[in-house]
Amino acid sequence: MTERVRADHGSTVGGLSIQMSRLLLVCLVVATAATGALIITILVGLPPAHPPPGPNGLPPPPPDLRPLATFPVVTGLFVLSWLSVVVVFSRDQILQRIRQVQREPEVAVQRVDELFAELRSQLAADRERELRMLEERIAELTTEYGEQRETDGYLSGLRVATTEDPAGKVHAIRRERRPGG
């Protein structure tokens, strides 16, 4: 009973089980702090858009850009902290699924066997359909080749028959054997 209670301490939102591990909580706190630091850096560190005029009507002095040097560092921390939240959340989800499969191995094996059987039947149906299409295409090509050869033979015969000296162009397949030679 304690194992089941310990395993079910996450909440489920739309089929997605959110399991709050210590590492995820730490990453969320760091990411929130990095977000706050980025907001403060943007508000405090950016020079004003319209600086006050200088003394005696002179142009204003150039803005101090030293606070902007921290901006890339704080932005990098912001991005890395939220990236770590995503990675740790994904890791927790994967570990939870692995634990589920380990608790119910018969169900998982049965489901995998069902998926494999379905895949095999789909592959067999695809193979049969492709074989049928291949047989039809081979029959079509054979018929087309036979008709082409027949047409070529007919036209060749007509050409030989319409020439002036058809006997000179026609060659016997078998040569006549001469006696004694």
Side-chain angles (χ1 to χ4, degrees):
M1 173 104 179
T2 59
E3 180 180 323
R4 183 177 182 106
V5 171
R6 189 178 305 143
D8 293 337
H9 70 278
S11 64
T12 302
V13 177
L16 181 69
S17 177
I18 299 174
Q19 186 170 357
M20 298 298 280
S21 66
R22 289 183 186 145
L23 184 59
L24 183 59
L25 286 174
V26 169
C27 288
L28 280 170
V29 168
V30 170
T32 305
T35 303
L38 182 64
I39 291 171
I40 291 171
T41 303
I42 289 173
L43 295 176
V44 173
L46 290 179
H50 300 289
N56 300 328
L58 294 174
D64 185 19
L65 298 179
R66 280 183 279 155
L68 288 179
T70 60
F71 185 71
V73 175
V74 174
T75 304
L77 289 174
F78 170 79
V79 170
L80 288 176
S81 63
W82 282 107
L83 183 64
S84 69
V85 168
V86 170
V87 169
V88 171
F89 177 73
S90 299
R91 180 199 72 124
D92 290 348
Q93 291 296 310
I94 291 170
L95 288 175
Q96 183 180 7
R97 296 282 169 93
I98 289 173
R99 284 187 205 117
Q100 262 182 344
V101 169
Q102 287 175 347
R103 275 185 275 154
E104 303 167 359
E106 303 87 25
V107 175
V109 169
Q110 182 182 4
R111 178 70 180 141
V112 169
D113 288 342
E114 290 172 2
L115 290 173
F116 275 134
E118 182 181 336
L119 182 64
R120 285 185 190 113
S121 65
Q122 288 176 355
L123 286 174
D126 288 346
R127 190 178 318 123
E128 287 295 323
R129 187 181 68 247
E130 289 172 357
L131 280 174
R132 246 182 288 118
M133 289 172 46
L134 185 61
E135 288 173 355
E136 291 171 3
R137 182 68 181 145
I138 288 174
E140 179 183 313
L141 287 174
T142 304
T143 303
E144 186 178 317
Y145 179 74
E147 290 174 359
Q148 182 67 34
R149 292 291 292 164
E150 184 179 339
T151 303
D152 289 346
Y154 179 75
L155 292 175
S156 176
L158 282 177
R159 268 188 241 116
V160 169
T162 57
T163 60
E164 292 179 19
D165 187 20
K169 301 247 181 191
V170 177
H171 300 286
I173 293 176
R174 296 184 187 158
R175 293 186 182 201
E176 295 180 14
R177 293 188 183 211
R178 294 184 190 167

